[in-house]
């Protein structure tokens, strides 16, 4: 039997209209996921594919297409979310979909635009450590090498500021619309000697499992099973859980011994990051714990924050955000209303430099350092210690208003 290919979750980011959908459509076509006949003719046939995916996903009808997959020589890729999908940020943060890598699409004619910056900042905030930069629409700039070099420099500067290492990132000049440098080297760009877009995907590395970090399992559900006992269910985010371990659930602070671990109805001795498990804990009642609690080992228990300092970026808010604002924070599986108690600094999202001390309000597009007080106990970790539990999305009025990360905790 052929060895299974390793798996990578891929997101497509970049300014609106820079060609994300077109690139994905072309890719799915070239890798045989969808057929030419299905597309029909027409100007925007590739983009049409993505629109179809998006529509179906929003109606929630086609499970298959909800996670479009394609293969390269080395890997199997899943496109974790449609470009432009409203819940992308929330899904990334709450773990519903996690991107291991992102393709940043920048149109050669426009260059770096506001959403390019915002998405790069977000990708970094969300912990996407690997990038590929697609300089798209090269056909609109006469496939000019000079323009490519200029953009490579511009994008590199942006990436460096946010903390990426542009020297290790492939920059591919291409045309998603015409097909240049997607799967085959384009004759229109003889000056380019790097990989095609498809080849560049094979330079990515599969995600490493964070087994050396302290154990953290955010609880998704709690069952009481006759003859077994209390069985919390959740995904191991970090660390390793073994049968016989003593675990503590925070915030309630109840603990017990792990009697058994199960995944897909099969018993196992230990669970690792990425495993979706149910585990039976002796000494913990069904009503002692609930969704949003986090299990960890007793010698390095999950951090319960009375207050924390965070860096946030406001994605969409119709008005002004001021001290006292109390929206719902979505952090791992927890949803807790939290109050902004202080707006400490407004910062430049692209450079991190301080623009204003103690601003009176924040609006869409602003990034800031703020103080936050949860209205009830919440487990959240410093992003530096346990990145998987240091991120959150702020939701209000049915929308993701902001995203952020915890940089310090007042226990
Ligand atoms: P998105 O908003 O980033 O997903 O962008 P779309 O994929 O929807 O593309 C926006 C527009 O740019 C569409 O009209 C595309 O046909 C066009 N487009 C995308 N890629 C290219 C390209 O490589 N060259 C040209 N000339 N047009 C492109």
């Amino acid at each position: 039997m052929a060895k299974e290919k390793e798996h990578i979750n891929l997101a497509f980011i970049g300014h609106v209209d820079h060609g994300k959908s077109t690139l994905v459509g072309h890719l799915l076509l070239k890798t045989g996921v969808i057929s030419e006949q299905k597309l029909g003719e027409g100007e925007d046939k590739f983009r049409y594919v993505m629109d179809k995916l998006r529509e179906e996903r929003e109606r929630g009808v086609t499970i298959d297409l909800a996670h479009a997959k394609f293969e390269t020589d080395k890997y199997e890729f899943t496109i974790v979310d449609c470009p432009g999908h409203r819940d992308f940020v929330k899904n990334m943060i709450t773990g519903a979909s996690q991107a291991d890598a992102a393709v940043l699409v920048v149109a050669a004619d426009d260059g770096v635009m506001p959403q390019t910056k915002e998405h790069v900042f977000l990708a970094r905030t969300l912990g996407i450590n690997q990038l590929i930069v697609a300089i798209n629409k090269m056909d609109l700039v006469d496939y000019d090498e000079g323009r490519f070099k200029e953009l490579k420099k511009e994008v590199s500067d942006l990436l460096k500021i946010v903390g990426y290492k542009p020297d290790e990132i492939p920059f591919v000049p291409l045309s998603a619309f015409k097909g240049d440098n997607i799967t085959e080297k384009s004759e229109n760009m003889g000056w380019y000697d790097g990989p095609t877009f498809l080849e560049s995907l094979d330079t990515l590395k599969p995600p490493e499992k964070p087994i050396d970090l302290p154990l953290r399992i955010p609880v998704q559900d709690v069952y009481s099973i006759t003859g077994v006992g209390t069985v919390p269910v959740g995904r191991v985010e970090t660390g390793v859980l073994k049968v016989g371990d003593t675990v503590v659930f925070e915030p309630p602070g109840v603990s017990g011994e792990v009697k058994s671990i199960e995944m897909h109805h099969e018993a196992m001795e230990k669970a690792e990051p990425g495993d979706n498990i149910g585990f039976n804990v002796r000494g913990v009642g069904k009503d002692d714990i609930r969704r949003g609690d986090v299990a960890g080992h007793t010698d390095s228990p999950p951090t319960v924050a009375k207050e924390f300092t965070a860096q946030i970026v406001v994605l969409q808010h119709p008005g002004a955000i001021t001290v006292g604002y109390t929206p719902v924070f979505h952090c791992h599986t927890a949803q807790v209303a939290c109050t902004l108690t202080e707006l400490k600094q407004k910062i430049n999202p692209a450079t991190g430099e301080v623009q204003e001390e103690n601003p009176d309000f924040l609006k869409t597009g602003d990034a800031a350092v703020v103080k936050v007080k949860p209205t009830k106990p919440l487990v959240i970790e410093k992003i530096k210690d346990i990145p998987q539990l240091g991120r959150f999305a702020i939701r209000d009025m049915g929308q993701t208003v902001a995203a952020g990360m915890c940089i310090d905790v007042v226990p």
Side-chain angles (χ1 to χ4, degrees):
M1 200 174 80
K3 188 173 170 290
E4 258 187 51
K5 285 182 184 173
E6 284 187 286
H7 195 104
I8 294 182
N9 287 334
L10 196 62
F12 284 75
I13 60 176
H15 196 74
V16 63
D17 277 348
H18 277 199
K20 298 177 292 293
S21 311
T22 307
L23 181 56
V24 171
H26 213 123
L27 201 62
L28 295 183
L29 183 78
K30 289 291 182 174
T31 53
V33 177
I34 43 173
S35 65
E36 188 89 44
Q37 292 99 310
K38 271 206 184 147
L39 289 180
E41 281 310 312
E43 271 283 282
D44 268 356
K45 60 178 180 176
F46 301 118
R47 186 176 156 195
Y48 167 80
V49 178
M50 258 343 253
D51 286 346
K52 263 277 136 330
L53 289 180
R54 199 177 294 172
E55 247 171 56
E56 295 192 342
R57 190 168 309 189
E58 274 171 7
R59 279 186 287 134
V61 283
T62 315
I63 306 293
D64 263 0
L65 289 182
H67 278 96
K69 283 190 195 328
F70 66 94
E71 287 186 21
T72 58
D73 286 346
K74 232 163 121 181
Y75 299 123
E76 179 186 65
F77 286 91
T78 298
I79 298 169
V80 290
D81 215 320
C82 279
H85 193 253
R86 270 175 287 130
D87 281 338
F88 172 69
V89 171
K90 189 195 78 172
N91 290 346
M92 276 283 306
I93 285 168
T94 55
S97 56
Q98 267 171 344
D100 306 309
V103 175
L104 172 65
V105 180
V106 182
D109 53 343
D110 279 353
V112 171
M113 296 295 278
Q115 277 177 328
T116 316
K117 291 184 188 167
E118 181 183 304
H119 286 190
V120 166
F121 181 74
L122 263 179
R124 193 71 194 165
T125 307
L126 298 176
I128 303 176
N129 297 323
Q130 302 188 80
L131 284 187
I132 287 173
V133 180
I135 303 291
N136 188 33
K137 306 198 185 183
M138 285 302 293
D139 56 302
L140 294 184
V141 297
D142 297 329
Y143 300 106
D144 181 49
E145 181 181 14
R147 179 63 182 152
F148 172 69
K149 282 191 166 155
E150 192 176 286
L151 279 170
K152 186 172 172 179
K153 164 104 179 46
E154 197 183 341
V155 177
S156 294
D157 287 346
L158 172 67
L159 296 181
K160 224 181 282 172
I161 288 163
V162 180
Y164 286 107
K165 295 193 179 109
D167 294 347
E168 295 168 11
I169 293 173
F171 283 72
V172 187
L174 51 86
S175 168
F177 193 62
K178 308 258 178 185
D180 301 277
N181 283 343
I182 307 270
T183 51
E184 281 149 47
K185 278 254 149 80
S186 164
E187 287 175 6
N188 294 320
M189 289 176 273
W191 46 265
Y192 174 68
D193 57 6
T196 61
F197 181 67
L198 206 63
E199 287 164 352
S200 78
L201 293 176
D202 276 344
T203 66
L204 294 169
K205 295 193 182 61
E208 274 175 36
K209 290 185 180 179
I211 50 173
D212 294 331
L213 291 179
L215 175 72
R216 295 294 183 262
I217 311 173
V219 174
Q220 266 152 22
D221 260 311
V222 185
Y223 296 99
S224 178
I225 297 175
T226 321
V228 179
T230 304
V231 178
V233 169
R235 185 177 59 209
V236 181
E237 290 292 343
T238 54
V240 177
L241 179 73
K242 296 199 188 80
V243 172
D245 286 356
T246 300
V247 292
V248 58
F249 293 84
E250 296 289 1
V254 293
S255 56
E257 189 191 332
V258 177
K259 301 308 287 179
S260 61
I261 305 174
E262 244 191 37
M263 183 161 68
H264 306 310
H265 303 292
E266 273 184 41
M268 53 207 277
E269 282 301 306
K270 67 170 189 177
E272 292 188 343
D275 291 349
N276 277 298
I277 58 167
F279 52 114
N280 168 226
V281 189
R282 188 159 66 186
V284 173
K286 179 178 188 298
D287 297 331
D288 295 341
I289 54 176
R290 66 185 62 190
R291 182 186 172 93
D293 292 348
V294 180
H297 286 131
T298 42
D299 57 356
S300 54
T303 311
V304 182
K306 283 216 184 67
E307 205 166 12
F308 60 93
T309 308
Q311 192 168 310
I312 64 168
V313 54
V314 182
L315 301 171
Q316 43 181 350
H317 189 280
I321 292 177
T322 53
V323 165
Y325 183 49
T326 309
V328 177
F329 279 51
H330 291 238
C331 183
H332 51 87
T333 56
Q335 298 180 11
V336 173
C338 299
T339 304
L340 299 192
T341 53
E342 195 184 333
L343 307 181
K344 289 166 83 81
Q345 292 165 332
K346 196 155 106 178
I347 58 179
N348 180 334
T351 64
E353 75 198 24
V354 178
Q355 290 176 325
E356 192 184 340
E357 296 285 347
N358 300 111
D360 291 332
F361 62 90
L362 302 174
K363 54 180 178 25
T364 300
D366 285 347
V369 177
V370 297
K371 265 206 151 150
V372 183
K373 196 171 174 56
T375 57
K376 59 180 196 186
L378 167 71
V379 167
I380 189 164
E381 307 279 354
K382 269 196 244 181
I383 193 92
K384 279 213 173 88
D385 296 342
I386 307 185
Q388 289 78 358
L389 270 84
R391 310 184 176 105
F392 55 83
I394 301 177
R395 305 260 302 168
D396 189 16
M397 302 166 291
Q399 288 186 17
T400 301
V401 168
M405 54 185 164
C406 168
I407 52 180
D408 205 7
V409 175
V410 182

